[in-house]
Amino acid sequence: MNRRKKEDKPLNLQVEVAGITFKNPIMPASGTFGYGEEYAPYLDLNALGAIVTKGLSLRPRAGNDTPRVCETIGGMLNAIGLQNVGIEQFIYQKLPFLEQFDTPVIVNFFGNTQDEYGEVAARLDELPGVAGLEMNISCPNVKHGGIIFGTDPGAAFAAVEAVRKNTTKPLIVKLTPNVTDIQVTARAVAEAGADAISLINTLTGMAVDVKTRRPRLANTIGGLSGPAVRPIAVRLVHQVVQAVNIPVIGIGGISRAMDALEFLIVGATAVQVGTANFVDPNAMATIIDELETFCRDEGVEDINDVIGTLSV
Amino acid sequence: MKNHKTIVLSNQEISPGYFRMRILAPDYSRLAKPGQFVMFRVQRSLLPLLRRPFGIFRAGFMPADCDTMPPKEFIEIIYKVVGSGTDIMQGLHQGDPVELLGPLGTGFDLNLTTGDSILVGGGIGLVPLYMLAESIPDPSMAEVLIGGRSRDDIITVTEFERLGVKTFVSTEDGSLGDAGLVTRVLESRLEQKPAARVFACGPMPMIKAVEKICRSRQVQLQVSLEELMACGVGACLGCVVKGKGHSTEKPSYLCTCTVGPVFHADDLDWEDTVSADDCECGVKK
C-alpha cells in the first residue's frame, strides 16, 4: 500500500547505522522472524529496512524443553534456548534465499566462549551476502547464551574486542536490560569497538501455573517481551543514547509506528520489531505505512529529523 | 497462507462450555486440508496478545445475501472455553471482526485413508478429524471413536454420523455411551479390524496410550498434536516436539506448526514427549 499522493513532497525514511543504509528504520528483532523465509508469504521482505536472523552459533543448537512460550499480561515469556541450525547450515541453506532481496541481511550470533564469538565472526566476515553482524551478549535463557558477557562489563569488553579483531563488517552489539547500570555496559562495548548498540533483549521473568504449582516454562525462567516491556526499553535506550556516541537501535514492545517513534525521538536511529511479528505477520509493513502517514501528517520530510528530538 | 481480516458469521454453544464458530473465510474451501489449523485473533488489543491455534472443523459455502453475489466461503472452528482468550471468543456475535491466519500446518496423510480407518478423538481433539472423515473415499470403512470425560464433552456425533461413518461413543463417567476410556474402545475395535490405520487427536495421555496400542499391534498411526505456539509459521520455535532419534548430541526438534500438527507416529520420539497439556496459558485447539 502506498498512500503517497502525487502532490506530496518526497519523504525520506532512509537511515544509516554503522555504515549500513536502511531504506527505513524498521527491521525484525532476532528470534522473532526465523531466517526470513518463514514470513516471506505474508510480507514483502524488500519493504523492510533490514532482515535480522535468528541467533546463530558455531554448531547447531537444540534449545530447551517445552513448554517454551507462555503469554502474560501484554507480553509473553519465552525460553527457546537459542535453537538454531548453526552457522554452516545457515550459510548454505538459509542465506541464499535472503540474498535475493534488496534488503541488508544482519546476522545475529553468539558463542559459548570468547574464542567461539571470534570464530563465528571470522566466518561471517567472509560472506558478501552479510551486511552486518549483531553480536548477542544478552540471551537470558541459556547458561552460555552470552548473558555472562552481557552482565559483566569487563567480559563484554573482552568479547567485543575479540570479535572486532575478526571482522571489518559493521558490528552491532545487543545488550541485555538485566543489569544495574546499562550505561556502564554500553560504554564498555563502544570502547571495545562496537559500531552500534541494539537494546533491549528480553527482561528475565517467570510465571507459575497455580493449579499445578509448576513454572509455566520448562526452563522455569524466561525472557519477557511484548508491549508490556516498552516503557522500560524506552528508558534504557534513552540512557544508552546519552552514554555513547555510536548509533543505537531500539527494541522492546514495538507494535505500532507510535511505539517506534518513541524510540526514535529518544535517539534511536532505527528500531527492531519482535513479538508483534507473532501477533500479526504483516506488522512491520503496517508500521512502515503508519510511519509514512505520521510524517506526512506532521510535516516531517526526513525521518532523520525526528531522531533524538526529545525535549525535556 | 494469508492473514484475513474477516468477520464472525455465527457463534453457538453446542454443549456446555463448547462453542462452534463460523467465520467468513475466502479461499478456505479450496485451500484447507484435513488436519490444518488457523491462528485466530480475537481482537486488536493486548488481551489476549498472541493468536491462538484452532483446528479447522470444516470448510464450506453458504448462500450469498442476494442473488448477484457469489456464495460465501466459511470455516468452522470448535472451541472449549478454558482461558481468557476463549472467554472473549464466547461473547462474539455475527459481524464481529476477527483475524484468521492460515490455513497452516501439515495435515493428515490422505494416501493412507483407503481401507479400514479408525479415527480416535478425545474431547475437543475430535475437531480436526471431521474433515479427515469427509475425505475418506469409502466412509463405510471408517469408524470414529469419540471419547470424553462426561456427556458434555461429547460433541458433533451427529455430524460424523451424517457422513456415513460408524461412531462409537465412550465417556469416563459412563454418562453417555460405553463407560471407560476411548483407548479401551480402540483396543476392541482393533481386534475386529487388525489392519486398520489409526488417526488420533486428543489430550497427550490419550495420544500416548493410543501410540502404545498401535505400536504393539504394528498399526500405522497418525497423530495430531497441540502445543503452545506464538507464531504458527515456524519462526518462534516455541511449539517443537522431539523427533525420532532425538538426543542431546543429535537434537531433532520438529515444529508442531509447520512439520505438524499431524505427524506419523514413527517420526516422533515417544520416550520423552513433553506435553503442555496441563498448562492453563495454552488454549486448546
Side-chain angles (χ1 to χ4, degrees), chain A residues 31-34 38-39 41-42 54 61-71 73-76 80 83-84 209 211-212 214 216 226-227 256 275 278-281, chain B residues 1-3 41 44 46-52 99 101 104 227-231 233-240 242 246 248 251 253 274-276 278-281:
Chain A
T32 66
F33 205 62
E38 292 85 349
Y39 280 95
Y42 305 101
K54 172 98 186 128
R61 263 192 77 100
N64 294 329
D65 272 341
T66 56
R68 292 174 166 189
V69 291
C70 160
E71 180 161 339
I73 298 287
M76 64 178 281
I80 306 298
Q83 178 181 336
N84 79 91
D209 184 320
K211 282 190 186 153
T212 62
R214 288 195 309 217
R216 285 190 162 172
R256 306 296 301 263
T275 305
F278 299 153
V279 179
D280 182 356
Chain B
M1 292 184 292
K2 211 183 151 188
N3 184 38
R41 188 177 185 191
R44 294 193 150 266
L46 301 184
L47 273 177
L49 179 67
L50 299 170
R51 289 170 189 249
R52 294 288 189 273
E99 286 183 35
L101 179 65
L104 298 169
E227 279 287 338
L228 300 174
M229 53 180 75
C231 73
V233 299
C236 75
L237 306 180
C239 66
V240 295
K242 287 170 184 158
H246 170 90
T248 324
Y253 277 119
V274 181
S275 158
D278 302 323
C279 186
E280 253 196 63
C281 52

Side-chain angles (χ1 to χ4, degrees), chain B:
Chain B
M1 292 184 292
K2 211 183 151 188
N3 184 38
H4 285 288
K5 288 178 184 164
T6 180
I7 53 163
V8 172
L9 294 170
S10 65
N11 188 25
Q12 284 177 320
E13 191 163 17
I14 53 169
S15 181
Y18 290 88
F19 285 76
R20 178 166 172 172
M21 186 186 284
R22 184 175 283 197
I23 307 154
L24 190 66
D27 302 333
Y28 270 68
S29 59
R30 182 170 52 87
L31 296 176
K33 306 273 186 297
Q36 285 194 302
F37 67 101
V38 291
M39 288 299 274
F40 181 83
R41 188 177 185 191
V42 185
Q43 56 186 7
R44 294 193 150 266
S45 87
L46 301 184
L47 273 177
L49 179 67
L50 299 170
R51 289 170 189 249
R52 294 288 189 273
F54 291 95
I56 300 171
F57 178 66
R58 60 184 282 248
F61 292 93
M62 59 192 279
D65 294 332
C66 62
D67 293 345
T68 54
M69 303 277 279
K72 289 186 213 170
E73 279 184 77
F74 66 82
I75 58 161
E76 285 178 0
I77 58 173
I78 295 177
Y79 59 95
K80 187 181 177 183
V81 178
V82 291
S84 59
T86 42
D87 189 45
I88 295 168
M89 283 171 72
Q90 67 168 323
L92 293 179
H93 296 95
Q94 184 183 357
D96 284 344
V98 292
E99 286 183 35
L100 282 185
L101 179 65
L104 298 169
T106 309
F108 292 98
D109 181 351
L110 300 177
N111 294 322
L112 299 172
T113 53
T114 53
D116 287 329
S117 305
I118 300 179
L119 283 55
V120 187
I124 199 78
L126 192 65
V127 171
L129 300 179
Y130 183 81
M131 278 182 78
L132 174 64
E134 271 185 325
S135 67
I136 286 175
D138 182 359
S140 68
M141 295 184 78
E143 297 181 348
V144 185
L145 318 186
I146 302 170
R149 284 215 178 97
S150 80
R151 60 180 307 145
D152 289 350
D153 303 306
I154 304 298
I155 49 173
T156 67
V157 180
T158 324
E159 281 82 346
F160 278 92
E161 281 171 347
R162 277 199 208 114
L163 295 176
V165 298
K166 206 169 172 194
T167 58
F168 296 80
V169 173
S170 58
T171 50
E172 286 171 44
D173 66 359
S175 53
L176 192 68
D178 288 349
L181 293 170
V182 70
T183 44
R184 273 180 46 196
V185 184
L186 174 63
E187 281 179 309
S188 75
R189 293 317 301 158
L190 281 171
E191 294 292 330
Q192 305 292 318
K193 295 186 163 188
R197 277 131 174 181
V198 176
F199 305 82
C201 183
M204 208 57 196
M206 182 204 99
I207 295 280
K208 281 183 177 173
V210 168
E211 193 274 334
K212 260 187 198 156
I213 293 166
C214 291
R215 189 173 15 164
S216 67
R217 292 164 193 263
Q218 295 178 310
V219 166
Q220 274 189 340
L221 169 66
Q222 291 177 53
V223 294
S224 174
L225 301 183
E226 57 180 359
E227 279 287 338
L228 300 174
M229 53 180 75
C231 73
V233 299
C236 75
L237 306 180
C239 66
V240 295
V241 290
K242 287 170 184 158
K244 193 181 177 66
H246 170 90
S247 66
T248 324
E249 299 75 42
K250 284 200 89 178
S252 162
Y253 277 119
L254 310 171
C255 277
T256 304
C257 64
T258 51
V259 185
V262 180
F263 296 91
H264 285 280
D266 292 342
D267 295 339
L268 297 176
D269 173 18
W270 292 95
E271 299 302 310
D272 190 23
T273 317
V274 181
S275 158
D277 217 57
D278 302 323
C279 186
E280 253 196 63
C281 52
V283 173
K284 310 285 177 183
K285 257 195 309 201

Side-chain angles (χ1 to χ4, degrees), chain A residues 94-136:
Chain A
K94 308 291 183 184
L95 188 57
F97 174 80
L98 294 176
E99 282 174 329
Q100 61 181 308
F101 298 97
D102 172 35
T103 301
V105 176
I106 294 172
V107 175
N108 182 291
F109 73 102
F110 65 96
N112 289 332
T113 61
Q114 194 178 303
D115 290 348
E116 229 177 89
Y117 268 106
E119 217 174 312
V120 184
R123 186 72 180 97
L124 291 169
D125 191 61
E126 303 160 5
L127 307 170
V130 174
L133 312 187
E134 183 178 54
M135 177 181 177
N136 179 6

